[in-house]
Structure formats: structure tokens, C-alpha cells
Amino acid sequence: MTVQSLVLAVPAGATREQWVTFFEARGVRVWSLCPETAVAEGRLAIEDQQLRWDGEDVLQADAAVVLQGGFMWPLPRVMPDEETWVAFRGQFDVYLRDESESASLWLSALEILTHRLPRVVNPQPVFAHAAMKPWAFDVLRAAGVPVLPQLQSNDEEAVRAFAEAAPGEVLQLPLADDPGPVAWRSAEGLADLDLTRDPVWLQAPAGTESLEIGVVGGRAVTEVPEDLGPALTDLAEALSLGFGTVTFRPGDQGWAVSDFNPAPDVTAWPEAQRTDALEALWHHLE
């Protein structure tokens, strides 16, 4: 078998080691590219659309590439007006390169892998979608995927109006560069938040239940309600999501997308589901 190639942005530690062990046991060379290490030690070289790690060609056949690191594109600290936001969408790569040397290297490596390799999981566009969720949910709506009503803003009046119009408490989700837990908030509770520095991301589910589903190649790793199959396939196609998780919560018309993650920590999954995901990914790349 020729695997060319797998790109996963995964946390360091046990999750990364599990991917490495799985593929190496099948005779596949695994490259684990860590931008921070690459910058500090000068191990990754990018020249003329070629990637070399410690002098070796990364773009060889029979190799899986694990792009290590929890790095995601940072959101603007204050939500801009619509015109500025539209411009920002189209220039996220420039914005990113201005952030840090390791971030620039991460993006450059991912761009080369995305464009040079015949099959990439996950390609560069999905991380842009993950970093800018308002854009991603616009894309999903246009593709006919059911999504929850939501707002990302630091406008106090808009936040209060959204919360007051919700059927119950609203859900506050963490931003891409601030990985914290989700929290249920009342309109009164939101009034205590400081919105002058950071925007807040809110959703209005019709209930507190949730389903987190592992996805490989547009298909669920485990059994899910039958009516969610088409939504998963459409979401994966719209966002270029080859592997990740999708979270559904109840909306007015049934289950709707609440969030997605192209770099999940699979060590938190039950062992059977983790094994199924690795096997499904292996067959997806065949």
C-alpha cells in the first residue's frame, strides 16, 4: 500500500504516539512535523515547494505525515465590522504569517502538503474553516447542512438581544485560540462578561443534549441516527474534513451542527471507537 499522505494536526503526547504506532506497524514511514521544534532546532527546511526534515525528503511515497501541534489560526481579538471581516476571510494566510515564525512555517508546510500530495487528511482549507467558525457556518448553510442559530460578536446589545430571543439559556463555546469548556449562560450571566477585548461565540440550542461523532471520509465511525448520515457527508465535503469530530445539538427542526474539530484528541474516545477510527482512516487512504 502507498499512503501519500496523511496530515493530522494532533496534540503532542499520547495521541500522536498512537497514530505513529498504528501506521508504522503497517510498514508506513511516519513524519511527525512539529513547527515549534522545527523553528527552535532548524529541522524543517522548505525550499522550492520541497519539504525536508533533518535533510530527508518528506514528500516520499509510502509515508504518512503527522503535522503535530495544537496550533490554529488566531481570531482577531475584537470582531471587525462586516467589510473588514470579509477582507480578513480572504487574507487569513497573510494575517497568520504576521503572527509568528512557527505559525508561518506550519501554514507553509500544510499548503505544500495540500497541493503536492494526491490525498490529504486534513487539507489546508479545513483549518481555515475551523479557525473562523462564522465563515464555516456560512459555508454549511449554503450547502444545506442544518446548523444552530448562533452569534459571534463583542457588541453588548447584539449579545443581549440574541440571549433574550433564545428559548432558554444560550451556549457559550470557546474560540479557536482559547480552548476552554462550553458553558450555559443566561442573559444576566452574559452581562457580566468583558466584551471589550474578546468576542463571544454563542449558540441557541433547543435542548441540552449533544452527540459528538467521529468522522472519516464523510462517514461516521460509529452508529448514529440514520437521518444524520447525509448531513455528515455534506459537511465533510463542504469543509474538506477528511477526519475529525462533529458535534450535533437539538435545533428547531431536529439535530443541527454545533461544532466540528479537525484535530480531535482521540485518547478521550473509548478504545473500540478509537480502533474503529484508525481502521477506517487506513481504508480511506488505500
Side-chain angles (χ1 to χ4, degrees):
M1 173 190 176
T2 297
V3 176
Q4 200 181 19
S5 180
L6 170 74
V7 179
L8 291 163
V10 298
T15 303
R16 183 183 66 83
E17 293 306 319
Q18 185 171 21
W19 291 111
V20 171
T21 301
F22 179 85
F23 282 98
E24 287 187 341
R26 286 156 177 77
V28 176
R29 174 71 181 272
V30 178
W31 298 92
S32 183
L33 310 182
C34 176
E36 289 75 14
T37 301
V39 170
E41 302 176 9
R43 302 182 65 186
L44 179 63
I46 300 177
E47 186 176 351
D48 297 328
Q49 293 297 300
Q50 296 292 324
L51 292 181
R52 293 189 177 277
W53 184 267
D54 290 340
E56 293 190 68
D57 181 13
V58 173
L59 299 176
Q60 62 179 306
D62 300 313
V65 181
V66 178
L67 190 60
Q68 177 191 335
F71 174 78
M72 300 292 285
W73 280 279
L75 288 166
R77 304 311 304 175
V78 177
M79 290 299 291
D81 57 34
E82 183 175 358
E83 181 178 352
T84 305
W85 177 241
V86 169
F88 175 71
R89 289 180 185 175
Q91 299 178 26
F92 64 87
D93 55 339
V94 177
Y95 175 84
L96 174 63
R97 288 192 176 95
D98 290 341
E99 287 297 308
S100 70
E101 188 178 356
S102 62
S104 174
L105 196 63
W106 196 94
L107 176 62
S108 297
L110 185 53
E111 285 180 332
I112 291 172
L113 292 166
T114 296
H115 292 104
R116 290 289 305 278
L117 299 173
R119 178 167 292 184
V120 175
V121 180
N122 285 303
Q124 182 255 6
V126 73
F127 292 101
H129 287 131
M132 294 180 285
K133 292 291 173 66
W135 177 21
F137 281 91
D138 286 347
V139 171
L140 293 178
R141 288 190 194 92
V145 177
V147 299
L148 289 177
Q150 54 197 288
L151 173 73
Q152 187 167 323
S153 176
N154 57 356
D155 184 296
E156 292 184 4
E157 292 186 7
V159 168
R160 182 173 62 252
F162 182 86
E164 291 175 348
E169 289 189 326
V170 295
L171 188 65
Q172 180 186 358
L173 289 91
L175 299 174
D177 59 344
D178 183 22
V182 299
W184 293 93
R185 303 272 190 186
S186 64
E188 293 76 15
L190 286 169
D192 296 331
L193 297 179
D194 180 8
L195 301 180
T196 58
R197 188 178 71 91
D198 292 323
V200 65
W201 180 22
L202 303 176
Q203 293 181 347
T208 58
E209 305 93 336
S210 67
L211 286 174
E212 183 174 277
I213 301 169
V215 179
V216 174
R219 297 178 180 272
V221 174
T222 55
E223 290 188 15
V224 296
E226 187 174 332
D227 58 338
L228 292 185
L232 287 171
T233 300
D234 291 343
L235 178 146
E237 182 176 350
L239 301 181
S240 302
L241 180 68
F243 170 80
T245 56
V246 181
T247 302
F248 288 87
R249 296 182 186 275
D252 293 339
Q253 306 297 321
W255 291 106
V257 175
S258 171
D259 200 5
F260 65 93
N261 182 4
D265 183 357
V266 299
T267 57
W269 297 3
E271 184 176 355
Q273 182 180 356
R274 193 162 60 238
T275 300
D276 289 345
L278 288 164
E279 292 290 347
L281 186 57
W282 176 258
H283 291 301
H284 176 62
L285 289 167
E286 283 185 306

